[in-house]
Amino acid sequence: MARQADGGTDGTAAERRGPRVVLGVSGGIAAYKSCELLRRLTESGHDVTVVPTEAALHFVGEATWAALSGRPVATRVWDGVHEVPHVRIGQHADLVVVAPATADLLARAAHGLADDLLTNTLLTARCPVVFAPAMHTEMWEHPATRENVATLRRRGSVVIEPAVGRLTGVDTGKGRLPDPAEIFEVCRRVLDRGGDLPRDLAGRHVVVSAGGTREPLDPVRYLGNRSSGKQGYALARTAVARGARVTLVAANTALPDPAGADVVAVGSAEQLRRAVLAAAADADAVVMAAAVADFRPARYVDSKIKKRDGEGPAPLVLEQNPDVLAGLSAARPHPGLVVVGFAAETDDVLANGRAKLARKGCDLLVVNEVGEHTAFGTDDNQAVVLGADGTETPVPLGPKEALADRVWDLVAARLGGELRGR
């Protein structure tokens, strides 16, 4: 039966609102950024109730939350006692997102304390819960915080990894609230799957490569490719939403960092190789979605190569780059590592894909046709996922997130019971 907005049942379609989201805001300087998250939620049709802590109201006032959400703001357990807000708000939510989530809030949530309306709401919620932490680096790295985060993740909550950047004052490091647009994408992913969102990557560490490598010719020129990184970023976002700790090795992309992913920026194929191998040491799965250059200039010229009148260009001599995917497959840091490759083909797609799967030695190979207006830079993709066990899984044309989810379905099915990632 359909629920009404007041928590009852039945009602016409006109009376029903969009998904109910509780936006919890705890007392950190990053609270002002949650105004942008609230705007994105409301403008996309979500019915948002803001529950700030008393400390949060020192940073952003009640009037601002009410104006942006278009509804009264719940702040205290004792307001509207006859409606039992400390129970009803959580009971009727489709999603609870806390942004920012301070170290104090994470500690109280992990230990089941309920000394204000927000922590009461977290205890009564039976819907997915997303925490977007924001705090100083020392607080995030403290063993108490790490244990609290592990507890919340073990119980099924999505705790997004904080971003790296400028913090309060002159401090810089890990602990910055991720971009509100990226937090919104995590929330959208969680809501899209509702109660059926797989948490099959909880406790896992996965590594994703994305973008296209560039091989320098001289200080101003390079050999590159058309990859935008969108498919790799979709893989990172969906893995975060499914509970994984994600390391994203990004080569020359112009995309905002996905919320919850540790991003390692690289340029060349050799830099990507080193970053992937380092991250794979304790990973459960590696998905190589980056377009890695097969060749690089045999000689790097220290100064800009000049055009000389009457002379043609000097021949460009290339040498082969190390094969990152084949090397990782052959020398796995541990036997349980699942390795996934991508093969961009322009003709004889499946035949070339099967030959490449055998040659690379990976567990899965995502084969897709590419071209000037196909796959590269677009929001959609289609592919066939080939398995080393002989399986073939076609994925029809659709959003790159749909292909990413299908890849993680296949990876999760191949992972054993041991949790290697932490």
Side-chain angles (χ1 to χ4, degrees):
M1 300 174 69
R3 287 188 307 185
Q4 290 178 319
D6 62 2
T9 58
D10 211 3
T12 66
E15 293 172 326
R16 293 195 297 272
R17 301 182 181 181
R20 295 185 184 90
V21 176
V22 174
L23 172 59
V25 186
S26 59
I29 186 63
Y32 77 94
K33 295 183 179 180
S34 292
C35 295
E36 172 65 13
L37 175 60
L38 174 57
R39 184 186 67 79
R40 288 179 177 272
L41 288 166
T42 55
E43 289 185 356
S44 56
H46 298 86
D47 180 11
V48 186
T49 298
V50 182
V51 183
T53 64
E54 289 290 336
L57 295 175
H58 287 286
F59 296 98
V60 180
E62 184 175 340
T64 299
W65 299 120
L68 291 175
S69 67
R71 58 183 303 138
V73 175
T75 60
R76 290 169 290 273
V77 173
W78 301 107
D79 292 343
V81 174
H82 64 289
E83 296 178 347
V84 202
H86 72 288
V87 174
R88 293 287 183 259
I89 293 174
Q91 282 181 332
H92 297 156
D94 297 303
L95 174 73
V96 178
V97 53
V98 183
T102 60
D104 176 72
L105 187 282
L106 292 172
R108 289 189 288 144
H111 290 278
L113 301 181
D115 55 356
D116 62 9
L117 186 56
L118 179 53
T119 48
N120 272 272
T121 298
L122 290 169
L123 274 183
T124 57
R126 294 298 179 266
C127 60
V129 178
V130 175
F131 293 94
M135 64 196 74
H136 270 72
T137 306
E138 294 82 358
M139 293 181 174
W140 175 251
E141 293 177 346
H142 195 283
T145 302
R146 305 307 296 163
E147 288 180 14
N148 292 331
V149 168
T151 297
L152 292 168
R153 286 173 172 164
R154 189 169 59 250
R155 293 175 185 160
S157 296
V158 177
V159 184
I160 300 172
E161 289 284 314
V164 175
R166 182 72 177 268
L167 305 173
T168 305
V170 298
D171 293 341
T172 299
K174 188 168 186 177
R176 182 183 177 90
L177 187 74
D179 187 285
E182 291 299 315
I183 299 174
F184 171 76
E185 287 300 318
V186 173
C187 293
R188 184 179 64 80
R189 290 291 307 150
V190 172
L191 275 169
D192 282 350
R193 302 294 289 261
D196 297 326
L197 179 75
R199 302 291 299 154
D200 45 11
L201 298 180
R204 303 287 187 180
H205 176 208
V206 302
V207 179
V208 178
S209 70
T213 60
R214 295 176 179 176
E215 308 304 315
L217 290 162
D218 62 23
V220 298
R221 300 183 179 93
Y222 61 84
L223 297 177
N225 58 67
R226 295 178 180 272
S227 179
S228 66
K230 287 184 176 182
Q231 185 62 70
Y233 276 57
L235 283 155
R237 288 193 187 97
T238 52
V240 168
R242 293 170 77 145
R245 175 167 70 90
V246 179
T247 299
L248 175 63
V249 180
N252 306 297
T253 63
L255 303 170
D257 292 349
D262 287 322
V263 180
V264 180
V266 297
S268 68
E270 177 57 27
Q271 291 172 347
L272 183 141
R273 185 188 70 85
R274 291 197 299 265
V276 167
L277 290 178
D282 71 341
D284 297 285
V286 177
V287 180
M288 292 288 298
V292 183
D294 293 323
F295 303 97
R296 65 190 176 202
R299 186 173 72 93
Y300 174 76
V301 180
D302 292 328
S303 57
K304 181 181 176 181
I305 301 171
K306 298 292 187 179
K307 179 177 69 174
R308 302 186 186 280
D309 292 341
E311 296 182 17
L316 180 60
V317 180
L318 301 177
E319 63 183 12
Q320 192 164 313
N321 269 320
D323 191 319
V324 183
L325 178 59
L328 179 64
S329 298
R332 304 188 189 214
H334 53 85
L337 181 68
V338 176
V339 179
V340 183
F342 269 68
E345 301 292 343
T346 57
D347 51 58
D348 296 328
V349 174
L350 283 181
N352 286 333
R354 293 187 188 99
K356 184 171 287 189
L357 175 64
R359 191 167 65 250
K360 301 291 187 179
C362 50
D363 301 291
L364 296 167
L365 188 72
V366 184
V367 185
N368 63 325
E369 185 173 358
V370 298
E372 187 171 352
H373 303 293
T374 305
F376 285 139
T378 67
D379 294 325
D380 297 325
N381 207 351
Q382 62 182 344
V384 176
V385 186
L386 304 177
D389 55 2
T391 58
E392 294 187 8
T393 306
V395 182
L397 183 65
K400 287 184 173 178
E401 287 181 344
L403 174 57
D405 259 328
R406 195 70 188 99
V407 170
W408 291 126
D409 289 343
L410 296 170
V411 168
R414 285 163 171 76
L415 288 173
E418 179 187 357
L419 291 178
R420 189 174 300 275
R422 292 291 179 265

